[in-house]
């Protein structure tokens, strides 16, 4: 019997694969849709082309709100119930989007998708922490992130393939089937990692005191704002990239492959970040990256006086690759800096910091995206102003 039970226990490779698939739902739900935004807008009779960007933006609003309460919930009721709730909300949102006949209905479904997907994404970190610590945890998380980085490369190509075979609604069928399959895998193969005796007792007072501690720490909040502004520049790009590559440069079905090339910029930056941090330190690396991003974007903006507001495609690809590598260097480092004072309330702090920074990014990214005017100038201005303000906040915090 012991031998049979041992064979039934989840192994290391299967565990990493399961956690990676559970974590990837937010990215998959966003990047899969990029090739279909124009088609969805036409079918749902969206009046302004820029309004189709809300299909991307709305899911981040759900993610931001989900960040705040899934962490504490998982500590109180256990990892698996919190994950089941997230999957249930995601499946509901996916079903609404699949059946939507208006833009309002689509956005409701996308909001619920983000709200639901935030749960498994956050709880995954807690599950990994329950099962491992120290170097082993770092090893598991690095393997999970390796898979996560591949999603922006692969997802748009899958989405384009679905469009070739069927309409955009089939993308939501794909997400629905994937969610049900992973939920079944998760439920059958992974045991609960937080025993009853280790669970927290819910206390409004403790939660409010923890939130107050985070918000009242001015240095940490400066890093949170800086993170949100930097992420906002990326969201401004993400909101507009389909219109840029498909409308301005007429790439059509080639769009996912060009986007995959750009997505590797973030992947490469995430891969080399650990070595750069050890050499330069987080604060120096963040400040340098922010300044270089601003300078590159200023030079790109100035070049439009000679190259025009729609420069040659190769110039745009090089520019986007460079600034996305910069954003890739900022993500983890600014989050780590903002979390430094809160090791004793890591779960609550992580949720609040993630929620606040994401909401800031959504607002900033929406402003950039809605300013799209059939030129690259709004995106360039976004990569100048937002990382510039992020630099100012980071510099102030580092001097404290």
């Amino acid at each position: 019997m012991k031998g049979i039970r041992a064979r039934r226990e989840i192994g290391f490779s299967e565990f990493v694969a399961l956690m990676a698939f559970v974590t990837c739902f937010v990215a998959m739900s966003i990047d899969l849709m990029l090739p279909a935004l124009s088609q969805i807008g036409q079918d749902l009779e969206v009046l302004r082309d820029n309004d189709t960007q809300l299909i991307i933006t709305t899911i981040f609003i759900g993610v931001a709100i989900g960040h705040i309460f899934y962490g504490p919930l998982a500590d109180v009721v256990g990892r698996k119930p919190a994950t089941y709730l997230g999957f249930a909300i995601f499946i509901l949102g996916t079903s609404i989007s699949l059946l939507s006949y208006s833009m309002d209905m689509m956005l409701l479904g996308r909001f619920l998708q983000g709200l639901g997907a935030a749960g498994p994404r956050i709880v995954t970190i807690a599950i990994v922490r329950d099962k491992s610590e120290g170097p082993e945890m770092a090893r598991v998380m690095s393997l999970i992130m390796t898979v996560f980085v591949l999603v922006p490369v692969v997802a748009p190509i899958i989405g384009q393939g679905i469009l070739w075979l069927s309409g955009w609604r089939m993308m939501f069928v794909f997400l629905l089937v994937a969610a049900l399959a992973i939920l079944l895998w998760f439920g059958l193969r992974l045991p609960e990692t937080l025993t009853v005796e280790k669970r927290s007792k819910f206390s409004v007072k403790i939660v409010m005191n923890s939130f107050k501690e985070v918000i009242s720490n001015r240095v940490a909040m400066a890093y949170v704002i800086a993170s949100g502004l930097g992420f906002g520049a990326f969201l401004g790009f993400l909101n507009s990239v389909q219109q840029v590559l498909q409308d301005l440069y007429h790439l059509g079905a080639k769009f996912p492959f060009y986007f995959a090339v750009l997505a590797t910029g973030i992947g490469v930056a995430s891969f080399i970040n650990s070595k750069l941090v050890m050499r330069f330190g987080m604060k120096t690396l963040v400040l340098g990256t922010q300044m270089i991003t601003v300078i590159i974007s200023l030079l790109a903006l100035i070049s439009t006086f000679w190259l025009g507001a729609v420069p040659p495609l190769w110039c745009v690809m090089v520019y986007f690759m460079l600034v996305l590598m910069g954003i890739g260097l900022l993500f983890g480092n600014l989050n780590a800096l903002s979390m430094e004072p809160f090791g004793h309330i890591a779960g609550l702090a992580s949720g609040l910091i993630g929620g606040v920074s994401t909401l800031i990014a959504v607002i900033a990214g929406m402003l950039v995206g809605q300013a799209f005017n059939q030129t690259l100038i709004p995106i360039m201005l976004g990569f100048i102003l937002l990382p510039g303000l992020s630099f100012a906040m980071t510099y102030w915090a580092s001097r404290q």
Side-chain angles (χ1 to χ4, degrees):
M1 292 295 293
K2 289 183 178 180
I4 296 174
R5 192 187 317 167
R7 284 195 297 272
R8 288 179 178 175
E9 290 179 357
I10 190 168
F12 178 80
S13 298
E14 184 184 356
F15 173 72
V16 171
L18 175 58
M19 293 297 97
F21 278 106
V22 170
T23 304
C24 289
F25 260 98
V26 174
M28 179 63 75
S29 301
I30 294 166
D31 298 325
L32 190 75
M33 295 294 139
L34 290 176
L37 290 181
S38 295
Q39 187 175 328
I40 295 173
Q42 292 172 5
D43 289 354
L44 299 182
E45 299 180 350
V46 176
L47 298 178
R48 295 177 64 249
D49 289 342
N50 285 359
D51 287 346
T52 59
Q53 299 174 8
L54 297 176
I55 296 171
I56 302 300
T57 304
T58 307
I59 200 169
F60 281 103
I61 299 175
V63 169
I65 295 173
H67 266 291
I68 296 172
F69 73 85
Y70 276 112
L73 180 66
D75 289 339
V76 173
V77 303
R79 312 308 189 201
K80 295 190 77 170
T83 305
Y84 291 150
L85 175 63
F87 269 105
I89 296 174
F90 178 85
I91 290 170
L92 174 62
T94 304
S95 301
I96 292 173
S97 295
L98 169 64
L99 301 173
S100 61
Y101 53 83
S102 69
M103 189 62 169
D104 290 340
M105 191 173 176
M106 170 63 73
L107 296 183
L108 172 62
R110 294 293 279 174
F111 170 78
L112 291 175
Q113 277 190 308
L115 184 64
R121 181 183 182 186
I122 292 169
V123 177
T124 295
I125 300 173
I127 292 173
V128 174
R129 187 173 66 239
D130 292 339
K131 291 179 68 67
S132 58
E133 60 183 17
E136 182 66 15
M137 180 178 177
R139 178 192 176 202
V140 173
M141 289 306 300
S142 65
L143 291 171
I144 292 173
M145 290 308 297
T146 300
V147 178
F148 182 80
V149 166
L150 292 175
V151 173
V153 177
V154 176
I157 298 174
I158 295 175
Q160 187 64 61
I162 293 173
L163 277 183
W164 279 337
L165 298 174
S166 183
W168 58 265
R169 294 184 190 275
M170 192 57 63
M171 293 181 174
F172 290 103
V173 173
F174 175 86
L175 289 173
L176 194 61
V177 172
L180 290 171
I182 294 173
L183 177 59
L184 183 63
W185 183 12
F186 177 86
L188 293 177
R189 295 294 294 144
L190 188 72
E192 174 60 60
T193 59
L194 185 67
T195 57
V196 175
E197 58 272 14
K198 291 184 179 180
R199 294 176 189 177
S200 305
K201 291 183 178 179
F202 180 76
S203 169
V204 174
K205 182 178 180 180
I206 293 175
V207 172
M208 294 306 296
N209 286 340
S210 299
F211 282 177
K212 183 179 178 181
E213 180 180 349
V214 174
I215 294 172
S216 62
N217 189 312
R218 293 187 300 167
V219 173
M221 289 307 297
Y223 286 127
V224 172
I225 295 171
S227 178
L229 292 170
F231 189 31
F234 171 72
L235 286 191
F237 159 82
L238 191 62
N239 285 333
S240 308
V241 65
Q242 177 268 332
Q243 290 169 280
V244 169
L245 295 182
Q246 286 193 328
D247 296 348
L248 296 188
Y249 292 97
H250 310 291
L251 293 180
K254 297 178 183 177
F255 159 72
F257 301 98
Y258 281 82
F259 183 82
V261 172
L262 295 177
T264 59
I266 295 179
V268 169
S270 300
F271 180 75
I272 65 175
N273 179 64
S274 59
K275 295 182 180 180
L276 294 177
V277 165
M278 296 302 294
R279 181 172 181 179
F280 299 105
M282 281 192 294
K283 295 177 183 178
T284 301
L285 181 59
V286 166
L287 289 168
T289 300
Q290 291 163 332
M291 182 58 65
I292 291 172
T293 301
V294 171
I295 292 172
I296 290 173
S297 298
L298 274 171
L299 293 174
L301 182 63
I302 293 171
S303 72
T304 60
F305 288 101
W306 291 277
L307 299 175
V310 184
L313 179 58
W314 71 268
C315 293
V316 173
M317 291 294 291
V318 171
Y319 167 65
F320 281 160
M321 178 68 77
L322 291 174
V323 293
L324 290 180
M325 288 184 69
I327 295 298
L329 293 175
L330 293 180
F331 280 159
N333 293 323
L334 280 172
N335 186 65
L337 286 169
S338 62
M339 280 292 296
E340 275 187 331
F342 307 118
H344 57 296
I345 51 170
L348 287 169
S350 177
L352 182 61
I353 287 170
V356 172
S357 63
T358 303
L359 285 175
I360 293 172
V362 167
I363 295 170
M366 188 182 298
L367 291 174
V368 174
Q370 290 297 306
F372 180 72
N373 59 356
Q374 302 300 311
T375 74
L376 293 176
I377 291 176
I379 297 178
M380 292 176 179
L381 288 174
F383 276 114
I384 293 170
L385 296 176
L386 295 177
L389 292 171
S390 181
F391 172 86
M393 297 301 297
T394 305
Y395 181 77
W396 178 87
S398 66
R399 293 297 297 270
Q400 304 305 306

